[in-house]
Amino acid sequence: MNIPERIAVRLPQLVFPSSEVLYKHNRVPKLGFVPFLTHKRHLGLGLGLGLSKKMSSSMENCHVDVQNKLEVVRPATEVYAQEAIEALKAGKVIAVPTDTLYGFACDACSLEAVNRIYEMKGRNHTSPLAICVGDVSQIQHFAVTENLPHGLLDSLLPGPVTVILRRGESSALEKSLNPGLDSVGVRVPDCNFIRVVARGLGKAVALTSANLSGQPSSLCIKDFENLWDRCAYVYDGGVLPSNRAGSTIVDLTRPGKYKILRPGSAKEETLAILEKHSLVEEAPAI
C-alpha cells in the first residue's frame, strides 16, 4: 500500500453538525472551519503527517482562540433572553441586534458598565448614550412626555427612530448617565429580542452602535468580531436589512416643535408622522 493509500485509510468520514446542534453547544455554524479543527486529532495532524511540533502547537492555539470567541455567541432568541438579562444585572456588556444596527447594551444605571462601553468603543465621554426600553409606556419613567401630542410616541415607536426628550427632575435615570445634559435619546426598537431583555431588566438599557468610534456600523456580528472578547455575550440575529444609516434622530424637547438631528433610515416616515400631529420644524439657529 503506497503512502497516499495509507493516509486515506486513516481519514474518518467527516460529519458536520446541524446549525441547531452547533448553537446548542455555543458554536457558530457560519464558520465552516470549526468542525475541521475539532477533528484534527482524527486526521493525524502533527502525528505522522510531517507537521512540526511548532506548527501543531500553533494550530492548537488557533483552535483555542477560535473556540474562546465562539463561546460568547448565542442566537438572538427568547430562549437566551434570561441569560442576557442576568448579564446586564451583573454589570456586563452584551451585543444585540436592533431594527437598524447591532448595538452594545448595558444597564444604564451601572456606571461601571457604561464606562466599559465607552472604553470598548474608544468613544469620548462627552458623546451621550441613548437608552432603550421595552415598551412606549415605559418612556414616561425616564423622560418628560406630557408636552407631546397624544399618540405621537405610539405612532413613531416601536421603530427605527430615536426621540430626544427632556429628562426632567423625576427621571429614574442615574445622574451619572450623560452628566450635564438635561435631555436623553430614547429608543424602542422594532426588534423582539432587545425589547424582551429590556422588559426583563426592568430598567433602562444603555444602547449604542457595536463598533469602534468613527468606524462603520455593524450589520452582522462578523463586522465587529474584533470586539467580541469585550462582551459577555454576542447575540446573533443574522444580517440586518439596513443601509448602516442607523435610526432617525428627532429632537422633541421643545413643545410643538421638532428638529431632525440625523436623517437615518426613516426620515420621510418620521416627518409624515410629525406633521400629522401638527408639529412644526424648529427654525435653524442664526
Side-chain angles (χ1 to χ4, degrees):
M1 185 180 296
N2 58 34
I3 291 175
E5 289 174 336
R6 290 203 300 271
I7 293 174
V9 168
R10 297 180 61 183
L11 293 177
Q13 181 178 0
L14 298 183
V15 178
F16 293 88
S18 67
S19 296
E20 291 183 2
V21 172
L22 286 167
Y23 263 134
K24 182 178 179 181
H25 293 86
N26 305 330
R27 305 292 187 266
V28 177
K30 295 177 184 176
L31 305 180
F33 55 83
V34 175
F36 172 80
L37 289 174
T38 60
H39 284 81
K40 61 184 179 297
R41 286 192 173 85
H42 297 298
L43 289 171
L45 298 181
L47 298 176
L49 291 185
L51 295 183
S52 67
K53 288 183 178 180
K54 183 177 180 179
M55 185 179 295
S56 179
S57 174
S58 176
M59 292 189 71
E60 182 71 29
N61 290 337
C62 176
H63 172 50
V64 170
D65 181 61
V66 170
Q67 184 161 330
N68 286 342
K69 280 190 172 183
L70 297 184
E71 283 176 352
V72 306
V73 178
R74 305 282 193 274
T77 62
E78 288 193 43
V79 174
Y80 291 92
Q82 188 59 42
E83 174 189 75
I85 293 166
E86 295 304 321
L88 295 185
K89 288 181 177 179
K92 306 296 184 181
V93 175
I94 61 175
V96 296
T98 71
D99 52 355
T100 53
L101 307 167
Y102 274 85
F104 291 138
C106 73
D107 180 353
C109 294
S110 170
L111 178 58
E112 181 180 354
V114 168
N115 285 338
R116 186 175 295 117
I117 281 185
Y118 277 106
E119 181 183 350
M120 289 169 58
K121 288 176 60 70
R123 183 184 177 106
N124 193 311
H125 278 69
T126 58
S127 299
L129 295 181
I131 65 169
C132 164
V133 295
D135 297 286
V136 175
S137 60
Q138 293 180 299
I139 296 177
Q140 61 183 328
H141 301 302
F142 306 103
V144 177
T145 60
E146 292 88 351
N147 63 304
L148 301 175
H150 178 72
L152 173 62
L153 292 180
D154 288 299
S155 297
L156 291 170
L157 305 167
V161 179
T162 299
V163 292
I164 308 296
L165 304 172
R166 290 189 295 114
R167 288 170 69 142
E169 293 299 323
S170 61
S171 174
L173 291 174
E174 295 287 335
K175 300 296 184 183
S176 58
L177 181 72
N178 305 333
L181 292 181
D182 60 0
S183 61
V184 62
V186 184
R187 288 220 61 200
V188 185
D190 189 11
C191 177
N192 190 53
F193 182 75
I194 184 58
R195 293 182 65 192
V196 169
V197 171
R199 291 188 196 111
L201 181 63
K203 295 185 285 185
V205 174
L207 186 65
T208 185
S209 57
N211 60 311
L212 290 172
S213 187
Q215 296 298 309
S217 301
S218 301
L219 297 181
C220 68
I221 65 171
K222 185 73 174 176
D223 288 344
F224 60 97
E225 185 179 9
N226 59 319
L227 298 173
W228 286 5
D229 59 355
R230 310 284 187 90
C231 303
Y233 300 107
V234 174
Y235 292 97
D236 187 359
V239 179
L240 303 181
S242 178
N243 57 4
R244 300 186 195 272
S247 61
T248 296
I249 303 178
V250 55
D251 186 340
L252 298 175
T253 55
R254 294 188 61 189
K257 307 282 187 179
Y258 75 84
K259 184 178 183 180
I260 300 294
L261 302 182
R262 182 175 74 186
S265 58
K267 179 183 177 182
E268 298 307 318
E269 299 90 329
T270 300
L271 287 175
I273 292 171
L274 295 171
E275 292 171 4
K276 179 181 178 181
H277 286 83
S278 302
L279 270 69
V280 297
E281 186 174 9
E282 184 178 334
I286 298 176

